[in-house]
C-alpha cells in the first residue's frame, strides 16, 4: 500500500458511492467517465482491495468501501474547509476587507424562516463574503469542519467549540384565525379531539423527552403528520389545523392565533457554535457575531 494516494482518487470514490455509477459520479464532479473509472481502479490497486462490484442496479459498494466512507468524507470536509480558509485570507498591507466563504449549518425552519434577513444584513455589510447555508437537523460535526458555524438546539459538549447561548425559543400551539372561526376555539386540552391537529410522524429524542408537555398530543392523534417543521408550519399557515410552531414566527403573522399558552409551552435552547481555531478568522468572526446579534433580537422580541 502506498502512502501517497492523491485526494482526487478518494474524491472520485465518494462520487461513485453517492451516485452509484461512474457516469453519475462524472456528472457530479465535472470530469469524464473514463477518468472516474481510472481513479477508482487506481485506488483499488493502491489499497489492495475491491471497492465496487457490478450489478444490474449499477456499482454496488463492498463492505470495505462502506468502511472507508467516513474517512473519505472527513477528507472531503477538510479539503472544503481548507479552501474556505484560504479564500478568506485578507489582502496585502492595510486591506481589511472580509472575504471568503463561511459554511453555516442549521435546521430547516431556522434556515428558511429565521436566518435569511440576518444573512442578508451580513452580506450587505461584507459584500465579498460568500455564505453556504446547510439545512439539516443532523448535528454537523464542527470538529471535522463539516461546517464552520452551527446554530444548534442543544448545548455543545466538546471543549474545542466556542458556543454562545442566545436564549430559548418558545414553542406554542397555533392555528389560523379563519380556521378557528370555522371550527371553534378550543379552551381546554380535551377539546382538541374535535379538531384537525398537525404534528410529527416519527418522534425525535427531543420530542420523546417533551412528551409530558404535549398533554396527549402524539403521533396517533395527529390528522396531518410530517417530520419537516417547515411543512408543519406551512400547514398551520394554510389553515389546515392546529399545530406547534415557534412563537416568534407566529408573532410575525397576524393571521395566527396562539392557543392554550399556559398549558402548551415548550422551549428550544438555542446556541451559536464554532470551532475555537476559527476565532481569529475574520470571515467566521463577523458571521458568528451577526448570527448572535440577529438571534438575540429574534428570541428576545416582544412577548404576547
Amino acid at each position: 500500500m502506498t502512502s501517497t494516494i492523491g485526494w482526487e482518487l478518494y474524491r472520485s470514490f465518494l462520487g461513485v458511492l453517492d451516485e452509484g455509477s461512474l457516469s453519475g459520479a462524472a456528472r457530479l464532479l465535472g470530469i469524464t467517465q473514463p477518468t472516474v473509472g481510472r481513479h477508482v481502479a487506481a485506488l483499488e490497486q493502491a489499497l489492495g482491495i475491491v471497492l465496487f462490484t457490478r450489478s444490474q442496479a449499477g456499482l454496488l459498494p463492498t463492505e470495505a468501501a462502506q468502511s472507508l466512507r467516513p474517512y473519505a468524507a472527513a477528507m472531503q470536509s477538510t479539503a472544503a474547509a481548507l479552501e474556505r480558509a484560504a479564500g478568506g485570507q485578507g489582502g496585502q498591507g492595510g486591506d481589511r476587507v472580509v472575504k471568503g466563504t463561511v459554511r453555516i449549518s442549521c435546521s430547516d425552519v431556522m434556515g428558511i424562516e429565521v436566518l435569511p434577513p440576518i444573512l442578508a444584513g451580513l452580506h450587505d455589510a461584507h459584500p465579498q463574503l460568500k455564505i453556504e447555508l446547510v439545512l439539516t437537523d443532523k448535528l454537523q460535526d464542527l470538529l471535522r469542519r463539516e461546517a464552520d458555524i452551527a446554530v444548534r438546539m442543544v448545548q455543545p459538549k466538546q471543549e474545542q467549540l466556542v458556543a454562545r447561548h442566545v436564549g430559548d425559543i418558545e414553542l406554542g400551539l397555533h392555528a389560523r384565525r379563519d380556521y378557528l372561526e370555522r371550527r371553534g376555539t378550543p379552551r381546554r386540552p380535551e377539546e382538541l379531539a374535535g379538531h384537525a391537529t398537525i404534528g410529527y410522524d416519527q418522534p425525535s429524542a427531543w420530542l420523546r423527552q417533551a412528551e409530558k408537555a404535549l398533554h396527549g398530543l402524539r403521533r396517533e392523534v395527529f390528522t396531518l403528520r410530517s417530520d419537516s417543521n417547515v411543512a408543519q408550519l406551512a400547514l398551520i399557515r394554510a389553515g389546515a389545523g392546529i399545530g406547534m410552531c415557534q412563537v416568534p414566527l407566529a408573532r410575525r403573522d397576524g393571521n395566527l392565533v396562539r392557543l392554550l399558552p399556559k398549558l402548551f409551552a415548550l422551549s428550544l435552547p438555542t446556541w451559536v457554535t464554532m470551532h475555537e481555531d476559527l476565532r481569529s478568522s475574520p470571515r467566521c468572526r463577523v458571521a458568528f457575531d451577526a448570527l448572535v446579534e440577529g438571534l438575540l433580537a429574534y428570541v428576545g422580541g416582544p412577548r404576547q
Side-chain angles (χ1 to χ4, degrees), residues 43-299:
L43 184 59
E44 288 181 323
Q45 183 176 6
L47 296 175
I49 57 177
V50 176
L51 296 172
F52 297 96
T53 58
R54 293 189 177 275
S55 73
Q56 292 182 344
L59 292 179
L60 297 179
T62 62
E63 184 177 346
Q66 294 289 20
S67 70
L68 294 179
R69 180 194 283 271
Y71 302 104
M75 292 173 65
Q76 185 177 50
S77 297
T78 300
L82 186 151
E83 291 181 10
R84 294 196 299 272
Q89 297 305 306
Q92 300 295 322
D95 185 358
R96 296 178 180 272
V97 173
V98 175
K99 62 180 182 178
T101 302
V102 60
R103 188 173 177 88
I104 300 170
S105 170
C106 63
S107 68
D108 53 2
V109 166
M110 296 299 290
I112 293 171
E113 296 286 342
V114 181
L115 296 193
I118 299 173
L119 299 181
L122 173 63
H123 188 259
D124 283 345
H126 305 284
Q128 294 192 42
L129 185 66
K130 296 179 181 178
I131 300 165
E132 296 176 354
L133 188 59
V134 184
L135 303 188
T136 176
D137 286 326
K138 173 186 171 226
L139 295 181
Q140 295 281 296
D141 194 336
L142 299 179
L143 297 180
R144 295 198 303 184
R145 306 299 172 83
E146 293 179 11
D148 297 316
I149 301 173
V151 178
R152 291 179 168 173
M153 303 310 177
V154 294
Q155 181 177 4
K157 303 298 184 183
Q158 301 95 329
E159 293 182 358
Q160 302 97 317
L161 299 183
V162 177
R164 173 72 185 272
H165 181 219
V166 295
D168 294 348
I169 298 176
E170 189 174 5
L171 299 177
L173 206 59
H174 293 81
R176 206 166 92 165
R177 196 174 303 277
D178 58 357
Y179 168 87
L180 298 174
E181 290 171 354
R182 295 193 314 270
R183 302 285 297 271
T185 301
R187 305 295 180 186
R188 297 187 300 274
E190 54 269 26
E191 294 178 10
L192 291 171
H195 286 268
T197 52
I198 300 163
Y200 59 83
D201 183 30
Q202 299 298 322
S204 64
W206 182 84
L207 282 167
R208 283 191 287 269
Q209 290 178 350
E211 193 172 48
K212 289 183 179 179
L214 294 176
H215 298 283
L217 285 181
R218 58 187 184 279
R219 183 186 186 280
E220 292 74 19
V221 303
F222 293 137
T223 311
L224 301 110
R225 304 169 186 158
S226 175
D227 290 328
S228 166
N229 293 315
V230 171
Q232 291 182 31
L233 179 60
L235 288 165
I236 296 169
R237 286 173 170 165
I242 299 172
M244 298 288 289
C245 75
Q246 294 184 14
V247 173
L249 279 182
R251 291 195 200 107
R252 298 176 177 178
D253 189 338
N255 290 320
L256 296 186
V257 177
R258 188 171 183 184
L259 304 170
L260 304 168
K262 293 183 179 180
L263 283 175
F264 293 91
L266 299 174
S267 292
L268 285 173
T270 305
W271 300 77
V272 181
T273 313
M274 71 176 177
H275 197 286
E276 64 180 0
D277 289 350
L278 297 176
R279 284 188 210 235
S280 60
S281 165
R283 63 188 171 88
C284 293
R285 185 73 257 175
V286 298
F288 187 92
D289 290 345
L291 289 169
V292 168
E293 181 181 356
L295 288 171
L296 281 172
Y298 173 74
V299 174

